[in-house]
Amino acid sequence: SQQGEEDPQALSIQEGENATMNCSYKTSINNLQWYRQNSGRGLVHLILIRSNEREKHSGRLRVTLDTSKKSSSLLITASRAADTASYFCATNTGNQFYFGTGTSLTVIP
Amino acid sequence: DAGITQSPRYKITETGRQVTLMCHQTWSHSYMFWYRQDLGHGLRLIYYSAAADITDKGEVPDGYVVSRSKTENFPLTLESATRSQTSVYFCASGYLNTEAFFGQGTRLTVV
């Protein structure tokens, strides 16, 4: 079974609004990563947060990690139409990456 | 050009045939991975490799074979393709505990 599960499965917002998506996982991790996938393309790495970190920022992205609850959230602030994509969390347990089923984000101009 | 390249991008094959998907990376990353992506399942790990000549099973290895004789190449072979192996296949590479870099994917249809 997969490590990560994203919630919600789909999200539709207006341009300029914030988008929040959540990820839950099952076992201990070394780090957790978020990736974006545009339709028909490969995945692109967005941000990595290590197991001893609680929050990390990168531009308009903010990631939190709660290892006690085995959960993470990705916040995209001031969304743009170009942010329309699928977002996946990936848990890194040393040798392996496990991905969730993803959140499909649609940003309406 | 530096990067990770998958070939072919699209492939149609018949049930029972052997097919090999190629993956080549130019960064000398130690780790390489093969995933399949299906609607409703996200990405599932098929096989991974920590270095040349070291490979290990992921979540869904049945029906697949991998090899890694050189650091830069990690081919995935379907020994006898089945319709259930129709999917989009992604190769990725990286170093331990860091980000992974993905290829553009191979869309495989088994008829």
Side-chain angles (χ1 to χ4, degrees):
Chain A
S1 63
Q2 292 169 335
Q3 265 277 37
E5 294 291 336
E6 285 92 343
D7 172 66
Q9 289 188 333
L11 181 60
S12 184
I13 59 174
Q14 296 288 331
E15 200 166 31
E17 293 180 337
N18 296 341
T20 300
M21 49 205 86
N22 304 295
C23 170
S24 60
Y25 58 93
K26 297 177 181 176
T27 64
S28 296
I29 60 172
N30 291 352
N31 62 66
L32 186 143
Q33 303 178 27
W34 285 89
Y35 289 79
R36 183 186 72 225
Q37 183 181 36
N38 291 94
S39 181
R41 309 293 295 273
L43 280 77
V44 175
H45 180 262
L46 295 175
I47 193 166
L48 179 155
I49 185 166
R50 302 195 187 283
S51 59
N52 61 352
E53 297 176 310
R54 291 298 168 258
E55 187 171 311
K56 201 161 184 180
H57 296 254
S58 176
R60 294 185 295 114
L61 306 179
R62 182 175 79 99
V63 171
T64 62
L65 178 65
D66 186 334
T67 54
S68 67
K69 295 181 179 178
K70 292 186 170 57
S71 68
S72 174
S73 68
L74 171 68
L75 169 68
I76 304 173
T77 60
S79 63
R80 305 166 182 169
D83 293 329
T84 294
S86 292
Y87 292 82
F88 295 87
C89 68
T91 51
N92 184 211
T93 59
N95 285 340
Q96 303 178 45
F97 284 87
Y98 289 101
F99 285 80
T101 52
T103 292
S104 176
L105 173 65
T106 301
V107 181
I108 303 166
Chain B
D1 290 338
I4 182 164
T5 309
Q6 292 184 236
S7 61
R9 291 292 312 279
Y10 303 92
K11 176 75 176 179
I12 300 174
T13 192
E14 293 179 339
T15 301
R17 289 194 179 269
Q18 182 181 82
V19 61
T20 296
L21 309 184
M22 304 302 292
C23 179
H24 175 79
Q25 54 110 350
T26 61
W27 292 296
S28 299
H29 287 153
S30 50
Y31 282 83
M32 295 189 75
F33 309 88
W34 273 107
Y35 291 88
R36 59 177 291 173
Q37 185 175 29
D38 306 287
L39 279 174
H41 290 280
L43 282 87
R44 291 181 289 178
L45 181 64
I46 305 171
Y47 270 95
Y48 68 98
S49 168
D53 297 322
I54 300 175
T55 63
D56 209 345
K57 297 178 181 179
E59 301 170 272
V60 288
D62 293 344
Y64 303 95
V65 174
V66 294
S67 62
R68 194 165 176 210
S69 57
K70 293 183 178 180
T71 299
E72 61 266 29
N73 296 323
F74 191 39
L76 176 73
T77 297
L78 287 67
E79 295 184 296
S80 178
T82 65
R83 289 199 178 93
S84 65
Q85 292 177 310
T86 292
S87 186
V88 181
Y89 291 85
F90 286 98
C91 178
S93 70
Y95 293 115
L96 182 65
N97 291 328
T98 64
E99 67 191 278
F101 294 84
F102 280 78
Q104 289 294 84
T106 294
R107 185 174 295 274
L108 176 68
T109 302
V110 183
V111 298

